Amino acid sequence: MDLSHQAVIVTGSSSGIGEAVARRLAGLGAGILVNSVTSVEAGERVAADLPDALYVQGDISDPATAGALVEAAQERWGRLDGVVNNAGVTIDVPMPDLEGVTVEHWDKVLRTNVVGTFLVSQAALPLLREADDGWIINITSLAGTRQTGSSLPYAVSKAALDHLTAIMAKHVGGNVRINAVAPGLVATPWTEDWQALREGVAAIAPLHRVATPEDIAEACLALVATTYATGQVFLVDGGLGLTL
Ligand SMILES: NC(=O)c1ccc[n+]([C@@H]2O[C@H](COP(=O)([O-])OP(=O)(O)OC[C@H]3O[C@@H](n4cnc5c(N)ncnc54)[C@H](OP(=O)(O)O)[C@@H]3O)[C@@H](O)[C@H]2O)c1
């Protein structure tokens, strides 16, 4: 696939899945806007490592960030073809601890994962509609469809993102495609302290391992290439969901 004519925003691309997606798309020629919020040096390093990339710091839960990302892409490439809404957060409250979840937790997780993702997509729509084949991919989670995940607000936020994906795909108009990739457990900095969980997943998942960030990047690429699919959630979990 040749993406040398495409410009793509990847939110949260200083590490993990976002970094792998940025590297994979850049390897096919795409110009990449790399983004993160606190890990500025890491984000700048990723951008410097790619043939045609730009780093823009910004918190997607801040309404000003969406416009800033899209304006920076337009200024650099004069176009925008794709957005990978990858940035996301959770809280440190285990799923069964229903009493431990506070209104501040809900505000943080929903504002970032759902509202932030929506605002970036909304800001990108005018340019995506001008593209021949504009697309958005939301990184959701197996936690959005199973009663599992790092926290209750996180799982609920990912379920909301799946629904957001379908509703936006129905109404977006033009040639814009909106899909989601829902990973199971992925070996990224986010999960590096969860060694027991990683081993447990590898033991029960039909494909007997956790995902690499590159597995998820490959799934994103498959959706970029599948030009007649929209409103879909592509579960990429090594079969883990079949066991839950
Ligand atoms: N790892 C898994 O098992 C797994 C499974 C299913 C879904 N996911 C999803 O995959 C996505 C990426 O996770 P990961 O595992 O690759 O984690 P990661 O390595 O920790 O990367 C998270 C990235 O998101 C950025 N970020 C966080 N909050 C942000 C914000 N408000 N605005 C902009 N950037 C922000 C981080 O930047 P800073 O360092 O600057 O905060 C970092 O670049 C998340 O949406 C997560 O829910 C992960």
Side-chain angles (χ1 to χ4, degrees):
M1 204 188 322
D2 177 13
L3 300 181
S4 54
H5 59 290
Q6 294 211 1
V8 178
I9 293 172
V10 186
T11 66
S13 40
S14 61
S15 67
I17 293 168
E19 177 181 358
V21 171
R23 290 185 184 280
R24 187 69 174 102
L25 299 180
L28 295 168
I32 305 288
L33 187 145
V34 177
N35 155 261
S36 66
V37 56
T38 57
S39 54
V40 175
E41 271 179 36
E44 286 174 341
R45 268 200 307 277
V46 172
D49 224 20
L50 303 180
D52 180 17
L54 170 69
Y55 174 77
V56 179
Q57 188 274 344
D59 182 341
I60 64 156
S61 72
D62 175 352
T65 297
L69 297 180
V70 172
E71 275 166 34
Q74 184 168 27
E75 198 170 301
R76 169 73 172 251
W77 295 287
R79 62 185 296 147
L80 184 64
D81 300 273
V83 175
V84 182
N85 283 309
N86 167 75
V89 295
T90 189
I91 52 162
D92 192 15
V93 178
M95 186 76 92
D97 183 5
L98 303 184
E99 281 77 12
V101 179
T102 66
V103 70
E104 289 78 18
H105 291 144
W106 283 108
D107 282 348
K108 176 186 168 185
V109 174
L110 295 183
R111 189 175 175 95
T112 305
N113 296 5
V114 182
V115 181
T117 294
F118 174 74
L119 291 176
V120 173
S121 300
Q122 185 184 48
L125 286 181
L127 285 179
L128 295 178
R129 288 194 184 107
E130 284 175 17
D132 295 337
D133 172 36
W135 52 267
I136 294 173
I137 296 173
N138 296 323
I139 304 298
T140 67
S141 174
L142 177 65
T145 51
R146 300 294 190 284
Q147 292 65 50
T148 183
S150 55
S151 70
L152 173 61
Y154 175 81
V156 170
S157 77
K158 295 297 187 175
L161 274 187
D162 285 350
H163 204 42
L164 181 81
T165 300
I167 292 172
M168 286 189 69
K170 180 176 177 182
H171 295 292
V172 62
N175 289 322
V176 181
R177 298 180 289 119
I178 306 182
N179 293 292
V181 170
L185 192 68
V186 191
T188 69
W190 182 310
T191 63
E192 71 190 351
D193 295 332
W194 304 355
Q195 200 49 40
L197 182 64
R198 286 186 184 185
E199 285 168 18
V201 165
I204 62 167
L207 296 186
H208 299 302
R209 63 178 179 86
V210 301
T212 63
E214 290 72 26
D215 288 321
I216 309 307
E218 216 51 45
C220 291
L221 194 58
L223 282 176
V224 174
T226 308
T227 54
Y228 199 54
T230 195
Q232 302 306 302
V233 179
F234 185 7
L235 183 59
V236 184
D237 68 343
L240 177 62
L242 302 172
T243 70
L244 300 177

